[in-house]
Amino acid sequence: MDLRRLHQDHRAIIRIASDLIGVSREVRSRDDAEDARFLIEQLDRVLGLHLELEDIELYPTLMGCDDARVVEITKDCAEDMGGLAEAWCDYQRQWPVEMIHRNADRFAVVSRVLMEAVAQRVDREERELYPLAECLETRAA
């Protein structure tokens, strides 16, 4: 499992999400809306690959652990965070450039709420899941 890559992805996700929140507060023109949409697409690329890596490596490894505590924490995180991917897909579909431009205030609010949820997921994975995975890797070595 490439935990180094997962940590790097988290840093990129937080950076882009923070940029998106900042840009979303400043949408005044179509160009601003295009800048926001560019960040959404950039975040989607990073998130898509990141979630795929977690789904293929991280979660199956932790769910297959013989430690019931690790499995329970992993299940809880998966359940808690499962709705975020769907919310992200909905957000992407609902906010093309024209909608961002026409509904800038609403876009700013929705973006802030969703990016805060993304940040919470990143934080929880960094605090709970990744240390468990690192511990398992250390034991296996």
Side-chain angles (χ1 to χ4, degrees):
M1 178 172 6
D2 192 353
L3 287 168
R4 183 183 55 76
R5 160 101 189 271
L6 292 171
H7 286 296
Q8 287 174 339
D9 287 351
H10 275 173
R11 287 190 296 276
I13 289 164
I14 293 300
R15 180 183 47 76
I16 298 166
S18 177
D19 290 348
L20 181 56
I21 289 171
V23 166
S24 74
R25 291 185 197 137
E26 303 297 323
V27 173
R28 304 284 185 264
S29 67
R30 182 171 170 78
D31 286 344
D32 295 339
E34 288 173 359
D35 291 345
R37 185 64 203 184
F38 173 79
L39 288 170
I40 291 169
E41 291 166 4
Q42 189 178 25
L43 185 54
D44 186 54
R45 283 190 292 280
V46 175
L47 270 176
L49 294 171
H50 179 78
L51 294 174
E52 183 178 321
L53 186 58
E54 286 182 340
D55 288 348
I56 291 170
E57 293 186 17
L58 179 69
Y59 281 90
T61 298
L62 293 174
M63 294 296 279
C65 178
D66 58 2
D67 184 331
R69 184 180 134 277
V70 170
V71 172
E72 175 134 354
I73 291 170
T74 305
K75 281 182 182 178
D76 185 55
C77 285
E79 289 171 10
D80 187 40
M81 299 173 195
L84 188 55
E86 185 177 335
W88 174 252
C89 288
D90 290 344
Y91 172 81
Q92 283 184 252
R93 279 192 302 273
Q94 292 171 357
W95 294 105
V97 171
E98 284 306 317
M99 287 298 290
I100 294 169
H101 185 231
R102 281 187 293 194
N103 299 292
D105 291 339
R106 178 78 182 133
F107 174 71
V109 170
V110 170
S111 295
R112 181 182 47 77
V113 169
L114 184 58
M115 294 308 105
E116 286 174 358
V118 168
Q120 288 173 356
R121 176 178 175 148
V122 166
D123 180 62
R124 186 166 185 199
E125 286 179 347
E126 288 287 337
R127 281 184 300 104
E128 295 181 40
L129 289 185
Y130 290 11
L132 293 174
E134 289 164 354
C135 185
L136 290 177
E137 281 190 343
T138 302
R139 278 195 250 161

